[in-house]
Amino acid sequence: MLKIERASVYFKTDQGRIVHALDQVSLDIPEKGFVVALGASGCGKSTLLNAIAGFLPLSEGAITLNGRSVSAPGSDRGVVFQKDTLFPWKNVTDNVALGLKFAGVSKAERTRRCEALLDLVGLSDFARAFPYELSGGMRQRVGIARALAADPDTLLMDEPFGALDSMTREQMQELLVTVWKQTGKRVFFITHSVEEALFLGTQVIVMSPRPGRIVARYNLDFVQRFAETGDARAIKTSSDFNDLREDIRTLLHGGQDARSAAE
Amino acid sequence: MTDIVETASVVAVPKAQEPRIVEMTRFGASGSRTLAISILTGLLIIVAWWTAARLAVVPRLFLPTPQDVLTQFRLIFNDGYAGASLGEHISASLFRILTAAAIAITAAIPIGLLMGLSRWAKGILDVPIEFYWPLPPLAYLPLMIIWLGIGETSKVTLLVLAMFAPICLSAQAGVRSLPIERVNAARSLGASRLQLFRDIVFPTALPEILTGIRIAFGVGWSTLVAAELIASNRGIGYMIMSASHFLATDVVFVGILIIAACAFVFGLAVRLLEALLVPWKGRL
C-alpha cells in the first residue's frame, strides 16, 4: 500500500510570500490501483507527485510505501515526466537501461530486459535510434519503458501526455492501459483532462487550489471495461461516462466561479 | 443538418515532366552553403595582394609578392632559419600549446563542473579566477620569467593560465544549463552522486565545454606567439621576431601563414570532435 497521511506543503516564493500548496491530503493507493489526480494548474497535484517521488519533503504529514517511509528518490518509484527527460547522448536502449546500469545489472541482462520492454511499448524497431530522431509520442513511450526498467513498485506519471496531439494522446492512453494490465503496477497519474482521468483511473481524485486539497473522490470501472472489451469509443460515448464528465466539469468550473465571485 | 459538400476524390492527372521542388523561404545565412564563395574570396585576396605587390603600390621591401613568400618558404624549409630548422620551430610551438592544452583541459573540466555544483568550490575559486583571467597574459609574463626562468616552464605555465579560464567558465555554464527534471529523472532511476556527476552532469555540460576548448585554442595561439616574440630562441613567434629585425618581410609572411594554417587545423579538429561527441547539440 502507498499511504499518504495528512500531507501538507508550504512554499516560500522569491518575493517571500508563503504559498499553501498542499493541505492535509490523505490518500491510499492499493496494489494494482490506478489513481488519477485531476485539477486545474496550481491545485497541488504536481506537488503531491513530487512528494511521493521524494523530490520534495513534506511540511507536515507522512508518506509510506509498503510500510517504509518515503524521504528521497528511489528506484522503487519510477517517474514519467511531462517534459520528456530522455538523455540526448544515449540511444533508446541505453536510455531504458540506465536505471539497470546504475543498479549494476550485467550488460546481457540489461539488453534482454530492454528488448522485452521496448516490445511492450511497441518500439522494437527503434532500439538504436536517438531521442532527437523520435516523435513526441515515441519519446514518451521510451520514458514509460525507462521508468519500468528497474521493475519499480509504483509508476508516477506527471501529465505525461499533456504535450501530445489528441490522436497520439488517445493511442498512448490505450497503450498505458495495456502496459498497466500486463505489469500490474500501482500507478499515480496526473492530468488536467477530465476525459483522460475518467478513462484511465480506477480511482479519480479531484483537487482544487489555494490551498491544494482533495474535493471529490470517485471509484470507477471504465478502465476495467476497456481492458475487457477493448472498445475505447464505446466507453467514451456511453451515457454514464458523459454524465460523470459533465458532473466533474461543473465541479471544477463551479469552484472557479465561486472563487472569482468571492474575490 | 449537415450538408456534404464534396466527397469525390481528386482525379490524378498524369505528369508530363518532373515536379518543381519547393521549400520554405529562408531568412539569414544559416544552413546555406558558403564554401564556394569563401574559396572565391580567398583567391581574390591573393590576386589583390599579387597586383599590389607587382605594381609596387607599397615598396617590395614592405610587401613581398606571393612568389617571394613561396620561394622563401622553400628556402626556410630546406635550410632552416635563425639557427633551427623549420620543423624545429613548428614542433617547439606545437609542443608548448599542446602540453598547455592537455594540462588546462584536464584541470579546468573537473574544477569548472565542481564550481557549478558546489557552493564552497564556487565561493573559494571564483576570487582568484575572476581576478586573473581578465588580465592580458603578457602583463604577467615577466613575473612568470622571474619566478620560473626563461625555459619552457614559464611559457607553458603562461599558456595553461590563459587556456584554463575559458574552459573552466564554460564548464560552469554547462552545469547551469542542466534542467532539474533531468537530475530528478536520474535520481529516481537510482543514480548515486558519483553516477549523477559522471553520467548526467558531465555529458550535459559537454557541448559548452567543447565551445570553451575552441575559445581556449584561440586565446592559446595569440598568447603563444606573443610569448615567443619576447622570450624564446625557438618557435614560429621567435622566427617572426628575428626576421623583423632584418626587415625580412617575406619570412614574417611565411610565419604568419604557418600560424594561420595550424590554428585552422586545430579549429577544424575541435569541430570534428563536436560532430562526433555531441551530435544532439541544439536538437533536444
Side-chain angles (χ1 to χ4, degrees), chain A residues 54-55 73-75 77 79 81 83-90 98-99 101-103 131-132 139 146-147, chain B residues 179 181-192 195-196 198-201 203-204 277 279-280 283-284:
Chain A
F55 302 145
S75 52
R77 283 148 291 143
V79 185
F81 298 83
K83 225 177 77 186
D84 76 271
T85 51
L86 302 181
F87 305 109
W89 52 89
K90 290 184 182 294
L98 190 62
K101 195 179 162 201
F102 285 151
Y132 57 79
R139 283 187 208 162
R146 183 178 68 178
Chain B
E181 292 91 356
R182 197 175 277 178
V183 176
N184 281 342
R187 292 210 301 156
S188 70
L189 291 171
S192 67
Q195 285 165 335
L196 200 60
R198 192 190 57 204
D199 293 338
I200 310 301
V201 176
T204 299
L277 292 178
W280 75 87
R283 291 207 263 187
L284 204 78

Side-chain angles (χ1 to χ4, degrees), chain B residues 16-33:
Chain B
Q17 62 204 46
E18 285 290 300
R20 191 167 81 100
I21 308 291
V22 294
E23 61 177 48
M24 291 290 273
T25 313
R26 291 166 190 243
F27 184 75
S30 66
S32 39
R33 263 169 257 156

Side-chain angles (χ1 to χ4, degrees), chain B residues 136-151:
Chain B
L138 286 190
Y140 49 83
L141 176 60
L143 273 181
M144 292 290 133
I145 293 172
I146 293 166
W147 289 345
L148 301 168
I150 194 90

Side-chain angles (χ1 to χ4, degrees), chain A residues 106-155:
Chain A
S106 76
K107 175 125 184 131
E109 173 69 10
R110 294 206 299 263
T111 315
R112 201 184 59 73
R113 278 214 243 170
C114 279
E115 275 169 8
L117 281 166
L118 289 180
D119 200 37
L120 182 67
V121 298
L123 281 180
S124 300
D125 294 340
F126 295 89
R128 301 258 154 264
F130 279 85
Y132 57 79
E133 298 169 311
L134 304 179
S135 69
M138 287 156 98
R139 283 187 208 162
Q140 282 303 40
R141 292 191 211 194
V142 180
I144 294 172
R146 183 178 68 178
L148 286 170
D151 198 21
D153 176 278
T154 302
L155 209 51

Side-chain angles (χ1 to χ4, degrees), chain B residues 64-266:
Chain B
T65 63
Q67 292 103 304
D68 291 343
V69 174
L70 209 65
T71 316
Q72 190 57 245
F73 176 78
R74 255 189 244 118
L75 273 175
I76 298 173
F77 187 77
N78 291 329
D79 307 337
Y81 191 82
S85 74
L86 186 62
E88 285 172 324
H89 283 306
I90 293 178
S91 59
S93 292
L94 285 181
F95 167 79
R96 286 165 193 149
I97 196 162
L98 288 176
T99 312
I103 297 170
I105 290 170
T106 318
I109 293 176
I111 290 177
L113 293 178
L114 208 64
M115 286 176 74
L117 291 170
S118 146
R119 188 169 71 103
W120 278 95
K122 171 101 178 140
I124 292 169
L125 293 168
D126 239 0
V127 177
I129 291 175
E130 289 295 331
F131 167 74
Y132 99 81
W133 89 265
L135 299 174
L138 286 190
Y140 49 83
L141 176 60
L143 273 181
M144 292 290 133
I145 293 172
I146 293 166
W147 289 345
L148 301 168
I150 194 90
E152 293 301 317
T153 319
S154 59
K155 281 185 279 290
V156 171
T157 308
L158 186 79
L159 278 178
V160 169
L161 286 172
M163 297 176 85
F164 175 87
I167 305 174
C168 180
L169 294 174
S170 66
Q172 277 182 64
V175 177
R176 274 199 296 275
S177 74
L178 177 67
I180 186 68
E181 292 91 356
R182 197 175 277 178
V183 176
N184 281 342
R187 292 210 301 156
S188 70
L189 291 171
S192 67
R193 280 194 77 81
L194 183 70
Q195 285 165 335
L196 200 60
F197 190 82
R198 192 190 57 204
D199 293 338
I200 310 301
V201 176
F202 174 67
T204 299
L206 195 56
E208 304 252 13
I209 290 173
L210 286 172
T211 307
I213 290 175
R214 253 162 86 177
I215 297 169
F217 270 112
V219 178
W221 279 107
S222 48
T223 309
L224 171 71
V225 172
E228 287 177 345
L229 291 174
I230 292 172
S232 182
N233 55 12
R234 284 282 153 82
I236 302 297
Y238 167 71
M239 195 179 96
I240 293 172
M241 191 63 197
S242 74
S244 77
H245 289 319
F246 303 103
L247 266 181
T249 38
D250 46 0
V251 179
V252 174
F253 267 78
V254 170
I256 289 172
L257 291 178
I258 289 173
I259 293 166
C262 287
F264 178 74
V265 169
F266 274 55

